[in-house]
Amino acid sequence: MAQKSNGNRIDYAEYDSAVGLNWYLTDPNLSGLIDRYVPAADREWAEGILVRWGELCGGPIATRADNIDRNPPRLERYDAWGNEAPAIIHHPDAIAQKKVIWEEGPHGVEARAGRRIPTVLGSAFTYLLSQSDTGMVCSTGMTGGVESLVDRYAPPEIREKVLPRLTQGNFDGSWDGAMFMTEIRGGSDLATSECTAREENGTWYLSGAKWFCSNVDAKAIATLARPEGAEPGLKTLALFLVPAERSDGTPNGIRIKRLKDKLGTRSVPTAEIDFVDAEAFPLSNPKSGASSESRGLNRMMSMVNGSRLGVSMMGLGIMRRAFLESAIYSAHRTAFGKRLDEHPMVRETLVNMAVAIEGVSSLCFEASSLATATGDESGRRLYRILVPLSKFRGARWGLDLATQAVEIHGGNGYIETWGTARQLRDAQCHTIWEGAENIICLDVLRSMAKDQAHDALLDRVDKALSGTSHPALAAVKDVIARARRDAQEIILFLARADND
């Protein structure tokens, strides 16, 4: 087993493969981030947890991920008697994968500890798992967002029934979560949503199509629908919880039409579905004219923000996996009489990859550390702008570094039997999940216009600059100071510019 670096240069020739390593112990940057952000009282506890998780992610989870990609979920439409009963069938490795992730990941750790884990530790879990399979991160990761919505907004009787299933430490009998938002017309433009909700004898029923539903066989689904008779637009959308089963135990009205044949992230089943009088429970005020806090979209966006941060960690995980695969390959492959990593341009590429990882991880983990900040207005504003910035940069550079890893491997990198082709396929998804780049840019602009969040970001940069005095960092400090001045000029330009 590889040991954590003690500050000496790592010789990647000592490793035969990325798979089989402990990905926490081979990542000194992650250890440093945990030192920075996890409270000192929890540091030793977190270390033991991450050593175990890094071993699992780099070992059996990574090994199963490739097999699951080759054997993705499939849709069976009929039961043995010929009755229409659509069901998602998973490969046995996928079930084993979900079980170990549930029981050894945040759910299991929290259940055994009897407490919430620090948000940064949760992000470290996601980052390490993302190096194995970001599709499985999606498949298992949305539960936390649904759990939060149920905990805060569900009627008491629904909360008491659903919440224990979402939070239990054992996989068997647990309920996982999903979020169905996209429709054929209403993708990023949610105002055009056509899914409707009607109330009958105190029970709500949803009808309408959803177009891109990941983790489609989840047991607890958060979704948006417009109550019958409500005015069009965003403000009248209501948020609902749709369980996989009705109150009487029969399957709910969730009709799976077909699975998407996706480029990547194949381990998570993504489908087109119809709600057909699906029993639902309001998680917002379905009545027109509700206050902004109780509107469905506002509450759903609280989950989307956490999900966006999760997608940034997916991109960051692929960045790290791309670097690790490239560093090991370059240490073993020779060309023109030398190891690849002894050629200056290859070495420069690897260094640039490592620097990009450290930069994006700083963004992501700083945002994560602010996720539960209360009573800190500056922290709230900083979180508001860091989340979309992290998602933008993590997703894009995940794709860029995966591309570089393929090129470093040459023809081997383009072959599915090596570790880079799947990373490239999976990385493309993250630029789209939870908002494509144009949507993310608009969200940054909204954070600036509404919350003046850029001021909190510039203050954070100033704090870093003023706290840095080591002579070895003088040149870096100058580069950052120039970039900060450039950013300030751009912000002033934007303040004067028209919308176009």
Side-chain angles (χ1 to χ4, degrees):
M1 179 184 294
Q3 298 301 307
K4 188 162 41 173
S5 169
N6 61 4
N8 297 325
R9 179 175 177 270
I10 297 173
D11 183 1
Y12 290 96
E14 296 177 3
Y15 307 142
D16 294 326
S17 170
V19 176
L21 297 178
N22 185 314
W23 286 349
Y24 175 67
L25 294 178
T26 54
D27 191 346
N29 182 57
L30 177 58
S31 180
L33 290 165
I34 299 301
D35 286 340
R36 181 184 305 172
Y37 290 115
V38 171
D42 291 332
R43 185 63 184 88
E44 184 177 352
W45 173 66
E47 180 78 4
I49 291 169
L50 288 174
V51 168
R52 167 66 173 159
W53 188 241
E55 182 180 13
L56 288 170
C57 289
I61 291 177
T63 300
R64 282 192 292 261
D66 289 328
N67 194 35
I68 296 167
D69 183 73
R70 292 188 290 268
N71 299 275
R74 55 188 175 84
L75 173 63
E76 283 194 358
R77 290 194 169 279
Y78 304 98
D79 64 17
W81 294 96
N83 300 310
E84 188 169 0
I88 304 298
I89 307 301
H90 295 271
H91 189 274
D93 273 358
I95 302 301
Q97 196 85 304
K98 287 188 173 186
K99 180 178 175 64
V100 73
I101 291 169
W102 188 281
E103 295 184 352
E104 299 294 336
H107 281 93
V109 170
E110 290 184 341
R112 288 190 293 272
R115 51 165 289 192
R116 292 283 191 179
I117 62 173
T119 55
V120 167
L121 182 54
S123 293
F125 272 105
T126 300
Y127 164 67
L128 288 166
L129 180 58
S130 296
Q131 296 173 47
S132 303
D133 182 1
T134 59
M136 197 58 71
V137 174
C138 174
S139 187
T140 60
M142 286 189 285
T143 305
V146 175
E147 172 199 330
S148 177
L149 292 174
V150 170
D151 188 27
R152 295 166 65 187
Y153 305 124
E157 65 278 8
I158 301 303
R159 184 182 183 278
E160 292 172 8
K161 176 183 178 182
V162 175
L163 200 59
R165 295 293 195 105
L166 295 170
T167 59
Q168 68 181 51
N170 295 325
F171 176 71
D172 295 335
S174 64
W175 283 14
D176 54 347
M179 176 175 60
F180 296 176
M181 291 182 68
T182 308
E183 300 182 14
I184 294 177
R185 290 206 309 141
S188 299
D189 184 9
L190 292 173
T192 60
S193 176
E194 296 175 336
C195 188
T196 61
R198 64 179 175 85
E199 188 180 17
E200 184 177 308
N201 298 323
T203 301
W204 286 88
Y205 298 93
L206 270 54
S207 294
K210 296 290 181 179
W211 181 246
F212 209 92
C213 306
S214 289
N215 202 30
V216 68
D217 53 342
K219 297 296 189 295
I221 298 158
T223 193
L224 295 168
R226 196 182 314 282
E228 289 183 341
E231 296 293 324
L234 290 172
K235 293 181 179 179
T236 56
L237 289 173
L239 177 62
F240 292 90
L241 175 74
V242 182
E245 294 182 352
R246 298 184 185 275
S247 299
D248 62 7
T250 60
N252 208 351
I254 307 168
R255 303 288 186 264
I256 302 174
K257 294 192 289 188
R258 65 174 175 178
L259 285 179
K260 302 286 193 182
D261 186 8
K262 297 183 295 181
L263 173 67
T265 62
R266 293 173 177 170
S267 59
V268 56
T270 302
E272 301 158 22
I273 68 102
D274 284 333
F275 289 130
V276 182
D277 286 335
E279 188 177 279
F281 302 95
L283 298 177
S284 66
N285 190 338
K287 304 300 183 183
S288 179
S291 67
S292 62
E293 190 282 327
S294 65
R295 288 176 187 151
L297 184 65
N298 296 61
R299 292 183 174 179
M300 178 65 100
M301 286 307 296
S302 68
M303 179 178 175
V304 169
N305 259 344
S307 188
R308 277 182 179 167
L309 186 56
V311 174
S312 75
M313 290 291 176
M314 294 181 194
L316 178 60
I318 284 186
M319 291 173 70
R320 172 63 189 176
R321 177 73 182 273
F323 167 78
L324 188 58
E325 294 283 357
S326 299
I328 293 172
Y329 187 84
S330 299
H332 286 275
R333 181 80 169 180
T334 59
F336 307 106
K338 293 194 293 186
R339 284 171 29 170
L340 283 185
D341 60 4
E342 293 175 345
H343 290 279
M345 287 192 288
V346 174
R347 190 184 309 138
E348 181 182 28
T349 298
L350 292 172
V351 169
N352 287 340
M353 292 171 84
V355 170
I357 292 165
E358 291 191 12
V360 174
S361 63
S362 294
L363 274 176
C364 292
F365 280 90
E366 179 91 0
S368 178
S369 73
L370 298 167
T372 56
T374 57
D376 178 1
E377 179 60 17
S378 178
R380 183 195 69 80
R381 291 161 63 215
L382 184 57
Y383 178 77
R384 174 67 183 87
I385 197 169
L386 280 182
V387 168
L389 287 176
S390 298
K391 196 275 183 185
F392 182 98
R393 190 60 72 193
R396 173 52 56 184
W397 280 6
L399 184 58
D400 288 351
L401 264 65
T403 301
Q404 292 173 32
V406 168
E407 293 183 13
I408 283 178
H409 284 70
N412 287 335
Y414 200 65
I415 305 302
E416 292 286 353
T417 50
W418 289 76
T420 52
R422 177 169 65 84
Q423 301 304 318
L424 179 61
R425 287 191 284 106
D426 289 354
Q428 182 64 76
C429 184
H430 307 141
T431 62
I432 302 167
W433 262 350
E434 304 302 2
E437 289 183 345
N438 286 351
I439 296 298
I440 297 301
C441 290
L442 292 174
D443 194 41
V444 171
L445 290 174
R446 277 193 296 271
S447 79
M448 295 167 66
K450 183 177 179 180
D451 296 311
Q452 300 297 298
H454 56 285
D455 288 336
L457 179 57
L458 294 176
D459 288 346
R460 179 66 181 88
V461 174
D462 291 339
K463 180 181 177 182
L465 290 172
S466 64
T468 303
S469 59
H470 197 287
L473 296 176
V476 176
K477 188 175 179 179
D478 289 342
V479 169
I480 295 172
R482 287 197 301 271
R484 190 244 188 260
R485 290 194 293 271
D486 291 344
Q488 183 71 69
E489 290 183 10
I490 293 168
I491 290 167
L492 292 173
F493 168 80
L494 288 173
R496 297 190 297 266
D498 60 30
N499 284 342
D500 285 348

